Amino acid sequence: MTGLLVGAVFGAVFVVVNAQSPLNTLTAGLLRVAACLAAASVLAMWFLAVRWERSAGAAQPTATSTGAARPGTPGMYGRGYLIILVAEVVLLYGGLQVLAAWDRPVQANVAWIALVVGVHFIALAPVWKDWMIAVPGTILSLLGVAGLVMVSTGALDWVPFVSGVLSGVVLLVGCVTFGWRITAATRVQAAPTA
C-alpha cells in the first residue's frame, strides 16, 4: 500500500500541476479536485489496511498470491530497485538539462518526466516479479513519447494535458484500483474466522 500511496501522490501532482490552459477553468478545477480526492482515498485505504493488519496481528507474507515481492521484503527494495532508482534520477535530471540546452519548449519537460517514470515502472516489473506495474508503465511511456512528438507540432499547448494530466489519471486509476483490491483482501484476512 505504501507504493500505491506514493504513486497516488505523484499522480495527483501530475494532474494538479498540468491541468491548465487550453482546458477551461472549470474542467481544470474539476480534474484537480478529482485527483486530490483519488489520492485521499488511497491514503484512507492505506490507513484501513494498516489498522486491519495490526488488529489481526497477522504477519505479512513475503510474497503476493502472484509471487510478487511485498513491501518490506528484501526483493522489494534490493540492489535492482536501487539501480533503477538511481538511473531514473540521472535520466530525469540529465534529460531535463539536455532539453534546456536544446532550447526545447518547457512543455517538453512533462513529456520527458512521463516517459522516464513509465520506463522505470517497466524496468521494475521483473525486479519485483509483478508484471501488472508494466501496464501503467507502458501507458505513461506512450503518453511521454506522444508529448515529445507534440512539442514539435501545433499542439504544443496540449502536451501538459496529454503527458501530464493523462499520466496522472493513469497513476491514480491504477492506485485506487489496486488499493481497493489490497484493502479488501486485507480486511478478509483480518476478519475473525468462525
Side-chain angles (χ1 to χ4, degrees):
M1 285 297 297
T2 301
L4 293 178
L5 183 57
V6 171
V9 168
F10 278 108
V13 169
F14 262 117
V15 174
V16 169
V17 169
N18 293 293
Q20 57 186 328
S21 178
L23 296 173
N24 65 49
T25 306
L26 178 62
T27 302
L30 289 173
L31 285 168
R32 289 180 180 130
V33 169
C36 291
L37 289 173
S41 74
V42 174
L43 177 63
M45 287 185 269
W46 183 86
F47 277 114
L48 286 172
V50 168
R51 190 177 91 195
W52 289 329
E53 281 184 356
R54 286 187 181 161
S55 69
Q60 187 175 21
T62 59
T64 64
S65 60
T66 61
R70 297 272 306 192
T73 62
M76 188 80 176
Y77 300 111
R79 186 171 35 156
Y81 170 79
L82 292 175
I83 290 169
I84 292 168
L85 184 65
V86 169
E88 180 183 21
V89 170
V90 168
L91 286 170
L92 282 172
Y93 180 76
L96 294 175
Q97 297 306 310
V98 168
L99 290 171
W102 287 348
D103 291 325
R104 300 307 297 158
V106 70
Q107 291 90 333
N109 292 350
V110 70
W112 178 252
I113 292 167
L115 175 62
V116 172
V117 170
V119 169
H120 124 276
F121 282 127
I122 294 168
L124 281 174
V127 171
W128 284 352
K129 296 177 180 68
D130 185 359
W131 293 100
M132 290 305 296
I133 65 171
V135 174
T138 301
I139 296 170
L140 262 65
S141 298
L142 292 172
L143 291 170
V145 168
L148 288 171
V149 169
M150 291 169 63
V151 165
S152 300
T153 70
L156 177 65
D157 290 341
W158 285 97
V159 172
F161 176 76
V162 171
S163 296
V165 172
L166 293 181
S167 291
V169 168
V170 168
L171 285 173
L172 287 165
V173 167
C175 290
V176 168
T177 301
F178 287 107
W180 185 261
R181 289 180 185 172
I182 291 170
T183 303
T186 303
R187 184 176 186 185
V188 168
Q189 289 175 349
T193 56

